Amino acid sequence: KMGEATNPRTHVDVVKVYNVILRKVQNSNLAYSFMGYLVFMTFYFAAIIMQRNSDPSQSVQAGIQAYMEAFYRDPDTLEMKGLTDIKSIPDFWNWLIIDFLANIIVKFQTNGDPMPKPNMILLHNRLTSGFEILQRRSVKRPCNFADPKFNAFSKYCYGVTLLEGQFGDVDKSDFLGYDNKTVYKYEEADVGFGWKDAGYFQRFNTTDMDAITARLLALKANRWLDEGTRHVRVDFVTYNPNVGLFVLVMLKLDLLNSGSIQAAYESEVLPAAFYYTWTDLTRMGIEIVVVLLWAVKVVLAAIDHRDLARERRRAARDQEIPEWRVPLLAMTDAQLVLLLVIFGVWGRIVSDPTLASVVVTDDTITSPTGVINFTGLALSLQTYWVLNGVNVLLTVLLVLCYLNLNSGISQLSSALSFMAGNLLQFGFVLFMLMATFMLMAHLLFGHLMPEYSQLHRSLLSLFAVLLGGGDYFALEDVDNIGAPLFYYPFLFVMVFVVFNVTIAIIMDGYVVMQEHRLAERRGDFAA
């Protein structure tokens, strides 16, 4: 009896002890994998940050944009106007001839002396050659939208085009100028990477101001732009030797068949050389390391898949598979595939022949066919940066999975997993409410306010209202009855009710996560 009192019998659950130890080992392996992943992503982020070269790129583009959007005095109205003030085709011709040409073709310095290097924009950005103007048109056909009796008043209509006049009722046929002699032909230009730049082109391969002005006036008199025009784009390229960057500037007009004209400025920076300076060579070394580490990650991912298959076979013998294991492997696979696509796009960019084939003289940088065209290279670079943005988002999700290595730092990812079901169900209700208010705002205010004129714009504007960016008085100016009918119910339902319910769901998920962890710890150490 004394022996039983001093040495009580105990029971040890070997399976439970095994699972606890196994979990510790798995967390340790996850920690090592996370450290390796951080090293890999550190090199990756260093490479893309150096590729982006954001500071000089932003500075060059901001300077040229401010310069090109400067005001000029309209000779017809004597008003001060700029690019964004273009509201008609005569406005466009005035801006192009008076303001645009004077900005890009600069022959004299401020004291009147000739420039040693002409066409220098903002002292350091030199026009490479001339410029080109592209227009896209829509099909003209008999009207069929209204009662036929109105055809006597207006017989012909013009179709709708989408995405800068590239899709929809696009007219690709030749058309005559106002003189009934000049024929303007539709062209498809190969700009590299499989991209096609199509439309009616006017290329100005000279910097002779008088010759360009005369030609533009002839186009204006011949009504090269008319009722059928849906999109106009003016392109030119500058080169800044101080930072080794080309800037492709695109000044765009969308001429809607409703009569409205929307002007926009866009630009893209392109390096003059990818691997030339010591900084470029350093970046190349980092890029090589990234590719090698990617190959190692591929091998490790294959090993992880093999181990997971083995663990699934052992699961029948009470071996637990961590809940984070499968999503971690799935997202790792997705990122490795995405990185392979990113490597391919970057390789295609650096091997593009456009830069290598340029013809450089004392006065111009041109392509073998005339005005240099970087449109295809710019589109490929935009695609490359979008893919990298998606990869960064995927990196955030992977880091959340890796944080499961420790209960203290995995609270966010664990809470998200516990509240995901309720949040998704409530998300459906939220979607229905937002869709209802989106439609309501579109119907009440869309006919006069561009923020609500299209459904997707209406949705984005509602999110701005949710974040405190709404303007009630602007709504009231449009519809003094509809404004309170929409605004106050929206604030009450979405701000005071929906926001608080969302917070409650998040808090419930956090509480359930804490209770689950407490029960798990008790279960691990229970006799």
Side-chain angles (χ1 to χ4, degrees):
K1 290 181 179 179
M2 289 181 62
E4 291 178 359
T6 56
N7 298 292
R9 294 179 62 190
T10 59
H11 173 70
V12 177
D13 190 334
V14 177
V15 173
K16 186 176 293 185
V17 171
Y18 172 75
N19 282 329
V20 172
I21 296 173
L22 179 62
R23 192 179 305 123
K24 298 292 184 182
V25 172
Q26 289 171 339
N27 288 343
S28 176
N29 292 337
L30 182 63
Y32 285 116
S33 178
F34 185 38
M35 287 188 287
Y37 181 73
L38 288 179
V39 171
F40 172 51
M41 295 312 296
T42 298
F43 279 99
Y44 165 74
F45 287 134
I48 61 173
I49 288 172
M50 294 177 73
Q51 289 172 356
R52 195 50 164 158
N53 198 19
S54 293
D55 185 42
S57 300
Q58 185 276 333
S59 178
V60 169
Q61 291 183 94
I64 294 178
Q65 180 174 0
Y67 179 74
M68 296 306 302
E69 291 182 346
F71 291 99
Y72 72 99
R73 187 171 296 280
D74 187 289
D76 298 326
T77 64
L78 301 181
E79 294 178 299
M80 298 301 294
K81 293 184 177 180
L83 171 66
T84 55
D85 297 309
I86 295 175
K87 302 303 178 187
S88 65
I89 291 178
D91 279 350
F92 170 75
W93 287 118
N94 287 338
W95 168 82
L96 190 66
I97 296 171
I98 298 172
D99 188 48
F100 174 76
L101 288 185
N103 283 338
I104 68 167
I105 300 178
V106 185
K107 299 294 186 182
F108 300 97
Q109 302 184 66
T110 55
N111 64 354
D113 293 341
M115 275 197 164
K117 292 288 186 180
N119 307 324
M120 193 69 76
I121 300 172
L122 297 175
L123 302 179
H124 301 290
N125 302 279
R126 192 179 184 192
L127 183 68
T128 56
S129 53
F131 62 96
E132 68 178 20
I133 308 175
L134 162 73
Q135 75 152 310
R136 299 189 179 111
R137 303 172 60 82
S138 64
V139 176
K140 178 182 178 181
R141 56 169 61 97
C143 295
N144 56 3
F145 295 111
D147 193 307
K149 68 182 181 182
F150 294 105
N151 288 345
F153 184 76
S154 184
K155 185 176 182 180
Y156 293 102
C157 294
Y158 291 87
V160 177
T161 59
L162 305 171
L163 296 178
E164 300 180 350
Q166 298 182 82
F167 302 98
D169 295 327
V170 180
D171 188 2
K172 300 182 180 180
S173 60
D174 300 345
F175 72 97
L176 283 174
Y178 188 67
D179 61 1
N180 290 322
K181 296 178 181 179
T182 308
V183 179
Y184 300 108
K185 295 183 176 294
Y186 185 87
E187 302 177 44
E188 287 190 353
D190 185 2
V191 293
F193 295 90
W195 300 102
K196 295 288 186 181
D197 202 12
Y200 301 87
F201 290 89
Q202 293 292 328
R203 298 180 177 89
F204 296 81
N205 299 320
T206 178
T207 57
D208 185 331
M209 177 74 82
D210 294 334
I212 294 175
T213 302
R215 186 173 165 191
L216 290 175
L217 289 172
L219 288 171
K220 178 182 178 181
N222 217 18
R223 296 193 64 200
W224 185 65
L225 303 179
D226 59 11
E227 299 89 342
T229 304
R230 287 292 161 268
H231 178 76
V232 179
R233 191 185 75 216
V234 183
D235 298 348
F236 66 92
V237 178
T238 66
Y239 174 63
N240 188 312
N242 302 314
V243 291
L245 294 175
F246 288 104
V247 180
L248 169 63
V249 178
M250 296 170 284
L251 309 168
K252 299 181 178 181
L253 292 181
D254 284 315
L255 297 87
L256 308 183
N257 63 356
S258 61
S260 176
I261 295 180
Q262 300 171 352
Y265 174 98
E266 292 183 16
S267 63
E268 183 64 46
V269 169
L270 305 101
F274 288 98
Y275 301 106
Y276 186 76
T277 67
W278 283 108
T279 302
D280 295 336
L281 296 177
T282 302
R283 190 193 71 232
M284 182 177 67
I286 296 174
E287 291 169 356
I288 293 172
V289 171
V290 171
V291 174
L292 294 176
L293 291 176
W294 173 84
V296 173
K297 289 288 292 182
V298 170
V299 174
L300 293 177
I303 295 173
D304 286 341
H305 277 287
R306 182 200 64 188
D307 293 343
L308 179 61
R310 290 178 179 175
E311 290 173 13
R312 281 174 170 167
R313 288 195 296 267
R314 295 172 184 167
R317 299 199 297 270
D318 296 327
Q319 177 173 330
E320 296 180 358
I321 297 177
E323 60 184 12
W324 48 262
R325 188 73 182 277
V326 174
L328 178 62
L329 279 178
M331 284 189 287
T332 299
D333 293 344
Q335 186 170 58
L336 291 174
V337 172
L338 180 58
L339 283 169
L340 181 61
V341 175
I342 289 173
F343 296 159
V345 174
W346 180 251
R348 184 68 183 85
I349 289 171
V350 298
S351 61
D352 179 66
T354 304
L355 284 172
S357 62
V358 296
V359 180
V360 182
T361 67
D362 289 342
D363 296 322
T364 62
I365 301 177
T366 61
S367 69
T369 57
V371 177
I372 192 168
N373 192 325
F374 284 138
T375 305
L377 189 56
L379 290 171
S380 298
L381 278 169
Q382 291 172 1
T383 303
Y384 177 74
W385 294 120
V386 169
L387 291 173
N388 278 283
V390 173
N391 189 44
V392 172
L393 180 61
L394 194 55
T395 301
V396 173
L397 300 178
L398 273 165
V399 169
L400 289 177
C401 279
Y402 274 116
L403 292 182
N404 285 285
L405 61 91
N406 181 278
S407 59
I409 61 176
S410 64
Q411 295 187 58
L412 175 60
S413 56
S414 298
L416 285 171
S417 65
F418 279 102
M419 69 174 138
N422 290 333
L423 205 58
L424 285 175
Q425 293 176 31
F426 183 69
F428 175 75
V429 178
L430 176 63
F431 171 77
M432 295 299 295
L433 290 171
M434 288 295 290
T436 301
F437 284 110
M438 172 188 70
L439 181 60
M440 185 178 180
H442 176 69
L443 295 176
L444 290 174
F445 315 113
H447 63 296
L448 287 176
M449 298 183 69
E451 299 92 332
Y452 302 98
S453 61
Q454 297 175 339
L455 289 177
H456 70 279
R457 286 187 174 185
S458 182
L459 180 62
L460 293 176
S461 299
L462 291 187
F463 280 114
V465 175
L466 282 176
L467 298 175
D471 186 351
Y472 171 79
F473 298 105
L475 300 177
E476 192 176 41
D477 289 340
V478 173
D479 190 339
N480 58 1
I481 297 176
L485 185 65
F486 160 78
Y487 194 78
Y488 294 115
F490 179 78
L491 283 184
F492 176 76
V493 174
M494 301 304 298
V495 176
F496 295 108
V497 178
V498 172
F499 266 12
N500 287 288
V501 172
T502 304
I503 293 172
I505 292 173
I506 295 172
M507 293 303 298
D508 285 345
Y510 183 79
V511 171
V512 171
M513 180 268 296
Q514 294 286 13
E515 292 175 349
H516 176 79
R517 288 188 171 186
L518 181 59
E520 192 176 57
R521 285 195 291 269
R522 287 173 177 171
D524 287 344
F525 297 104

